[in-house]
Amino acid sequence: MTPEAATRLTRFYDGTLLPDEMIEVMTTDQGWFPSRTIRRGGVVRDFAGYPGGLPPIRIDDQGRVFDLYDYLTTNAIAGLVILKRGQMVFQTCQRGIGVETLWHSCSLAKSIAATLVGVALKEGAIRSLDDPVSRYVAVEGGYRAVTLRQLLRMNSGIRWNEDYVDPASDRRQLLAVQSRWQPGGILGFMKDLPAATPPGGAWTYNTGESYLVGAVMEAATGVSLADYLSDRIWSRAGMAMDARWWSEAPDGLTISGSGMNACLGDYARFGQFVLEGGRIGDEHLLPDGWLDEAGAPYRIGDRMVPYGYMWWVPELPDPILAGSFQAEGIYGQYIHVNPAEELVVVVASARSKPGYRRRLEINDDAFFAAVARALREA
């Protein structure tokens, strides 16, 4: 990595990129990490237009009322796709991107990687989610007692600080390890981290654990996670474009918790694949009941954790969002899936800071609820 690239990478995590720089980072290879190609197949899945398109929407957010155009502008939206019953309700590309632009997914990749665990479980490459992580990869310290299910739910109990803008955080230390392009570096950093609680005793968002999921998958399947995604889903689900996925070295571990780049429509196709229960043609790639667990909150003591198998659960208490779940990434990336409303919404944004607590914007869950309600009432 060049010094210029390293500086921009640091500024990306610090939230100090100018708006045009942010668009450039989200749409072009910055030379930060090597990547593998995720190959598409020969047939593209097109979506017929939804009758009537998108009706006017009313976004109610903390006593304020907004419309679609407020949301697009205020939340720095670069791309938006809305599917209802597998039909195209609305699609727009803004801020200089197009339908063939490969957009950086950030942590949307976590939800994709976790879904691949379900595929491997159905195939038998993963024996059980209650297997210890140590069955597949060599780990020490607190991770010796952690199961794959606990890894997917990020309730391992391992001590971790995810703060993106804190140079001393575990997340930033892991980023420094990634920047060395060293085979085995990520697993070496993660494998013997200490426990803060017994496994299952606490929930802490931990990007490093999503990387361990990739290590488990590559050990279990014998191929890179990027190749597994291509072979099982990307080449068969009608994707329009090849995608890319970062790795820690040219032949190293896929960085499964971030660094996937795909076009807007293909994120929507992946969301539709999930909405349809992981079905391609007549084949069901996911185990029975997988999404009932993967997209559902769970309880630790008196707390309901709004997180499934690396899918977030909307916290806005709106009945129309009941049963919905979503992939989320820093700077405002979403694949929102609402099974009851047969709705998929993809949002690609270039916001000012990685974490929403440091930004001023319209609540995304309120937007998803407004879309669902407008289409139900139309």
Side-chain angles (χ1 to χ4, degrees):
M1 188 187 306
T2 67
E4 293 79 11
T7 297
R8 180 167 279 195
L9 176 62
T10 299
R11 291 178 60 211
F12 176 70
Y13 280 93
D14 284 343
T16 58
L17 293 175
L18 295 169
D20 286 350
E21 291 180 304
M22 178 60 69
I23 291 292
E24 183 182 351
V25 161
M26 298 300 286
T27 58
T28 59
D29 185 350
Q30 298 290 299
W32 291 342
F33 307 106
S35 61
R36 292 186 176 92
T37 299
I38 304 166
R39 301 292 182 188
R40 69 178 183 91
V43 178
V44 176
R45 178 177 183 177
D46 291 321
F47 298 108
Y50 185 79
L54 181 65
I57 65 171
R58 174 191 168 102
I59 307 169
D60 293 292
D61 181 18
Q62 300 183 46
R64 302 172 299 171
V65 177
F66 303 101
D67 63 12
L68 172 67
Y69 309 98
D70 297 324
Y71 180 74
L72 292 172
T73 302
T74 303
N75 286 29
I77 306 299
L80 174 64
V81 176
I82 301 173
L83 302 177
K84 172 86 169 181
R85 302 192 188 108
Q87 297 175 305
M88 182 67 71
V89 177
F90 183 84
Q91 178 173 342
T92 188
C93 294
Q94 299 293 321
R95 302 172 194 267
I97 79 166
V99 295
E100 295 187 350
T101 299
L102 299 189
W103 186 265
H104 180 40
S105 69
C106 303
S107 288
L108 302 189
K110 293 179 172 66
S111 305
I112 294 171
T115 303
L116 292 174
V117 174
V119 176
L121 184 65
K122 177 72 178 288
E123 292 181 344
I126 298 291
R127 188 186 67 172
S128 169
L129 294 188
D130 295 316
D131 280 346
V133 175
S134 57
R135 177 182 175 87
Y136 302 94
V137 295
V139 290
E140 302 294 336
Y143 279 116
R144 287 186 59 83
V146 172
T147 68
L148 184 53
R149 190 186 308 275
Q150 289 164 341
L151 205 64
L152 290 170
R153 285 178 166 171
M154 295 190 184
N155 67 338
S156 66
I158 299 298
R159 188 195 69 205
W160 185 266
N161 178 358
E162 183 73 10
D163 193 337
Y164 293 99
V165 302
D166 179 1
S169 73
D170 297 292
R171 179 66 187 96
R172 289 292 289 269
Q173 292 180 54
L174 178 59
L175 182 65
V177 171
Q178 290 176 234
S179 299
R180 297 173 193 151
W181 293 28
Q182 177 185 352
I186 289 173
L187 187 56
F189 178 81
M190 294 294 301
K191 67 182 179 62
D192 57 358
L193 290 175
T197 72
W203 179 83
T204 301
Y205 187 79
N206 182 335
T207 287
E209 294 190 340
S210 68
Y211 294 2
L212 284 182
V213 167
V216 167
M217 282 290 294
E218 293 189 0
T221 65
V223 299
S224 75
L225 199 65
D227 288 345
Y228 192 76
L229 173 59
S230 176
D231 184 68
R232 298 321 195 263
I233 299 175
W234 216 258
S235 64
R236 303 174 56 209
M239 303 306 183
M241 301 282 294
D242 290 346
R244 297 192 310 265
W245 208 338
W246 289 344
S247 56
E248 68 172 355
D251 295 317
L253 176 71
T254 301
I255 300 178
S256 49
S258 61
M260 185 180 167
N261 296 262
C263 72
L264 197 67
D266 287 343
Y267 289 127
R269 290 178 180 91
F270 183 82
Q272 189 65 29
F273 162 80
V274 171
L275 179 68
E276 294 171 355
R279 188 182 73 251
I280 297 178
D282 294 329
E283 183 180 0
H284 290 263
L285 275 65
L286 295 172
D288 292 342
W290 174 264
L291 293 174
D292 293 336
E293 295 183 5
Y298 64 94
R299 185 175 297 280
I300 297 179
D302 294 333
R303 181 189 181 190
M304 187 63 73
V305 179
Y307 201 70
Y309 296 159
M310 297 191 176
W311 289 89
W312 291 90
V313 178
E315 295 187 77
L316 185 70
D318 190 317
I320 205 162
L321 295 177
S324 64
F325 51 93
Q326 55 210 30
E328 297 186 16
I330 57 173
Y331 291 105
Q333 322 313 318
Y334 289 90
I335 304 174
H336 173 80
V337 180
N338 187 330
E341 300 297 324
E342 300 177 86
L343 187 66
V344 172
V345 183
V346 172
V347 176
S349 309
R351 302 180 193 176
S352 60
K353 291 288 186 291
Y356 74 92
R357 296 186 187 280
R358 293 182 171 95
R359 302 190 305 247
L360 180 65
E361 61 199 43
I362 298 169
N363 184 287
D364 293 286
D365 290 347
F367 170 71
F368 300 138
V371 170
R373 186 162 286 109
L375 289 170
R376 177 192 282 184
E377 295 173 353

